Amino acid sequence: MTFNVLLQYILPHRALSRVVYWATRWTFAPWKNFLISQIVQSYQVNMAEAAQPDALAYQHFNAFFTRKLRPDARRADADPAALISPADGKISQSGPIVDGRIFQAKGQEYTAAELLGDEAAAAPYRNGRFVTVYLSPRDYHRVHMPLAGTLKETVHVPGRIFSVAPFAVEAIPRLFARNERLVCHFEGEHGPFVVVMVGAILVSSVATVWDGLVIPPYASSIRRKSFAGQNITLERFAEMARFNMGSTVILLLPEGMAELDALQPQQAVKVGERLGLQTKH
């Protein structure tokens, strides 16, 4: 076990994340300008895409990190049957879900039931498809709909807040099924699908367009919220949520809903780009 991996087990995850949560919202100009400048320079952030291209004009670091893009900066694939990327980032893994098991990295896997926190809810995805997208600090941090869908339920699953950087994904067993996360269940034209917002150390804060800030507070037990009858329907490519800082998005599709393109690990993707093609029942 490397020192970096050992740290993931011994660091006080939630305490550190709470400190970072408030530090990234401090409006003291020298502080927020220092943080923003460090990220822009270190990760070569393309501010020309932003609706507000002046990085230091943002009220605080989190406002910069969750910045809007220009309306023309991202486009949805022109084919209405295309399954599109919900986030900017890199493909961590993608492919078939085999008898309920999802590939994490070489030698590592976890189950759909563990990820969703519910054996019955995982049943439709037993032999479906999955796509995992990792967002780095340089990426746009708003998450969009991969397909049109009506929100049925959210499930806030408690857990650890390990890093989701590649070194941790390769070394920590069942990482995505152990981290704090928000599971969003949708019903689409051809069946159900799930978008999972996975938290990570220092960055475990998630907001949705329908509920605002959801994490924190951190959960001590599974929290379910039904949206049945509320008719919250979002079109393909519509914004659905955001990470206050960055993390990972996992998309689960039932068998027969879509076929994925030949996506490669570490392949760069942007919101709206095609990941595959829906297949009709």
Side-chain angles (χ1 to χ4, degrees):
M1 181 181 294
T2 67
F3 179 69
N4 282 343
V5 173
L6 176 62
L7 278 179
Q8 295 301 310
Y9 286 95
I10 63 177
L11 286 173
H13 292 181
R14 290 187 174 184
L16 287 173
S17 293
R18 287 188 180 97
V19 169
V20 171
Y21 179 89
W22 292 110
T24 55
R25 287 160 177 75
W26 192 17
T27 58
F28 181 54
W31 169 252
K32 63 99 175 174
N33 290 347
F34 169 74
L35 291 183
I36 292 170
S37 297
Q38 287 296 306
I39 292 293
V40 170
Q41 294 169 15
S42 298
Y43 292 94
Q44 299 180 325
V45 177
N46 182 7
M47 292 304 298
E49 294 182 327
Q52 169 52 274
D54 180 359
L56 301 186
Y58 292 89
Q59 180 184 13
H60 46 60
F61 181 84
N62 191 65
F64 152 77
F65 215 79
T66 58
R67 61 194 175 276
K68 289 183 179 180
L69 299 185
R70 296 191 330 262
D72 62 346
R74 299 287 181 274
R75 298 286 188 188
D77 188 277
D79 186 345
L83 171 72
I84 61 174
S85 177
D88 281 15
K90 290 185 177 180
I91 299 294
S92 176
Q93 297 291 340
S94 66
I97 301 170
V98 181
D99 196 24
R101 306 195 72 81
I102 300 172
F103 184 66
Q104 176 175 302
K106 185 177 180 180
Q108 308 288 358
E109 61 180 12
Y110 56 95
T111 70
E114 289 172 332
L115 180 69
L116 303 184
D118 188 320
E119 191 79 41
Y125 309 102
R126 185 174 184 84
N127 292 294
R129 299 290 183 270
F130 79 97
V131 181
T132 304
V133 181
Y134 165 65
L135 291 76
S136 78
R138 70 172 297 170
D139 293 314
Y140 168 61
H141 279 79
R142 300 191 182 199
V143 177
H144 292 239
M145 293 290 287
L147 301 167
T150 299
L151 181 66
K152 294 302 183 182
E153 182 184 43
T154 60
V155 183
H156 180 178
V157 184
R160 299 293 301 272
I161 319 177
F162 293 114
S163 169
V164 293
F167 81 89
V169 172
E170 293 171 2
I172 298 175
R174 302 170 38 257
L175 187 152
F176 298 127
R178 297 168 70 179
N179 271 17
E180 191 119 1
R181 56 203 179 275
L182 184 71
V183 178
C184 303
H185 290 275
F186 293 94
E187 185 68 30
E189 181 182 2
H190 302 302
F193 64 94
V194 176
V195 181
V196 183
M197 308 276 289
V198 182
I201 194 166
L202 305 184
V203 297
S204 186
S205 181
V206 174
T208 65
V209 298
W210 54 82
D211 257 349
L213 187 66
V214 179
I215 306 173
Y218 301 117
S220 56
S221 60
I222 289 179
R223 299 174 180 173
R224 301 179 182 277
K225 185 172 183 179
S226 173
F227 292 87
Q230 296 190 34
N231 197 31
I232 299 176
T233 299
L234 299 174
E235 295 302 317
R236 188 183 74 132
F237 191 59
E239 182 182 336
M240 60 161 285
R242 69 184 66 172
F243 285 113
N244 298 310
M245 301 290 280
S247 194
T248 292
V249 179
I250 303 175
L251 171 63
L252 301 188
L253 304 166
E255 184 176 9
M257 177 178 281
E259 288 302 324
L260 300 179
D261 293 342
L263 305 172
Q264 300 299 316
Q266 302 308 307
Q267 176 182 330
V269 292
K270 292 186 182 299
V271 167
E273 290 183 349
R274 172 175 156 156
L275 300 178
L277 195 65
Q278 297 180 68
T279 55
K280 295 184 178 180
H281 293 295

